[in-house]
Amino acid sequence: ALREQGNTTPGKATDDWLISPPVYMESGKTYMLKWKDRNQYNTTDRKAQYDITFGNNNTTEAQNNILGTYTAESYYYSEQDVFLPSVTTSGVYHIGWHVHGQQQTRSLVIKDFSIVEVSGTDMQLISFTGNSLASVGIPHDFKVVVRNYGSTAASDFSVKLFDNEGAELASTSY
């Protein structure tokens, strides 16, 4: 886990950095950064706001590509992710967390930092809810939540429901 201590000086804005170790990336591939963040303290009055940055060196000056702005709002971990920019040259790059702006922020904690290569489409089931006992002759509603972790939009996909023996019970296409 990475931890930024936070600013406790009254009247002084926060300007702290956490920069990753070197990460090798290949040109032509798509990568996603995943991490969990939280506030160190259970308070909502001083949230830790930060940018995710990307650069080719571990200095703050090299972190010149801002990928997004995030806020660690809770004491409980929240999962985050962002696509990394495509690189034209294979080599070593660095990811930065730039905590900034607020006076007297709370500490930011980052854990489970990972970079994964993603394919064009990567559909995953997030949740499936509904009655576990389907009575005869009675319609039942089920809710399916999917997420595309890939790098391109998915179209013409279907969701299928199977019984324990593998027989298809129902399907729907999108």
Side-chain angles (χ1 to χ4, degrees):
L2 302 170
R3 181 173 180 229
E4 179 272 336
Q5 182 57 42
N7 176 26
T8 58
T9 305
K12 183 178 178 190
T14 300
D15 184 22
D16 294 328
W17 285 85
L18 300 168
I19 297 179
S20 75
V23 176
Y24 182 81
M25 296 175 63
E26 291 185 34
S27 65
K29 294 190 175 183
T30 303
Y31 297 93
M32 177 181 278
L33 171 67
K34 296 181 177 188
W35 72 98
K36 293 179 182 175
D37 68 8
R38 74 175 178 98
N39 255 331
Q40 176 63 30
Y41 304 101
N42 193 10
T43 181
T44 57
D45 63 336
R46 296 184 184 138
K47 301 171 185 176
Q49 184 176 3
Y50 62 99
D51 292 334
I52 295 293
T53 62
F54 181 80
N56 60 3
N57 202 320
N58 65 352
T59 64
T60 58
E61 295 79 21
Q63 296 296 310
N64 54 9
N65 189 349
I66 297 174
L67 306 180
T69 300
Y70 300 84
T71 303
E73 298 185 13
S74 173
Y75 177 75
Y76 302 100
Y77 282 105
S78 175
E79 294 184 15
Q80 309 288 350
D81 58 54
V82 66
F83 281 103
L84 296 177
S86 297
V87 296
T88 56
T89 304
S90 296
V92 172
Y93 296 87
H94 295 266
I95 312 300
W97 287 264
H98 181 207
V99 184
H100 59 82
Q102 299 177 357
Q103 296 179 9
Q104 293 184 290
T105 62
R106 296 298 187 189
S107 297
L108 171 66
V109 179
I110 302 290
K111 79 170 193 173
D112 296 344
F113 155 77
S114 66
I115 296 175
V116 294
E117 182 181 343
V118 294
S119 62
T121 55
D122 183 6
M123 299 295 289
Q124 294 184 23
L125 177 68
I126 303 299
S127 66
F128 180 82
T129 56
N131 191 339
S132 62
L133 177 62
S135 299
V136 176
I138 300 172
H140 296 278
D141 291 328
F142 291 91
K143 181 178 179 183
V144 178
V145 178
V146 297
R147 179 172 179 188
N148 181 1
Y149 284 96
S151 59
T152 58
S155 61
D156 298 326
F157 66 92
S158 57
V159 176
K160 297 181 180 184
L161 179 64
F162 296 90
D163 67 13
N164 289 337
E165 285 78 39
E168 184 177 324
L169 300 175
S171 68
T172 185
S173 295
Y174 298 92

